[in-house]
Amino acid sequence: MQRNTRKKIAPVVVAAVVVLYVGPLVAMAAYAAGLLGAEGGWGVLPFLLLYALAGGAVIVGVLHAAAQRLREIDGGEEDEASKY
């Protein structure tokens, strides 16, 4: 039990760091897109929305991969890669 808990620390920490890094960037891009959308900054608006969408996809992907890794650790598959 203790061994599984220690192995879960790394995926959780990495996912948290990525979310804490990308989250504010996505929020700033979405906020700026909302401000520029009202003022008519149409040249920059698609870029900011695309940036916010890509950042959101990164966050969702990292959280999904972390959840998958935690399920692998719970299932006892944490040492499968060491066979190869």
Side-chain angles (χ1 to χ4, degrees), residues 5-16:
T5 304
R6 292 179 64 202
K7 288 185 178 188
K8 289 181 180 183
I9 292 172
V12 170
V13 169
V14 170

Side-chain angles (χ1 to χ4, degrees), residues 20-83:
L20 289 175
Y21 180 74
V22 177
L25 298 175
V26 171
M28 286 188 300
Y31 179 71
L35 288 179
L36 291 175
E39 296 175 5
W42 295 107
V44 180
L45 185 63
F47 172 75
L48 290 173
L49 291 176
L50 181 64
Y51 188 79
L53 182 66
V58 167
I59 291 173
V60 169
V62 166
L63 292 176
H64 176 71
Q68 183 179 3
R69 179 67 182 134
L70 293 175
R71 280 193 304 271
E72 287 175 359
I73 291 171
D74 285 339
E77 300 175 18
E78 67 269 6
D79 294 324
E80 290 295 319
S82 65
K83 293 180 182 178

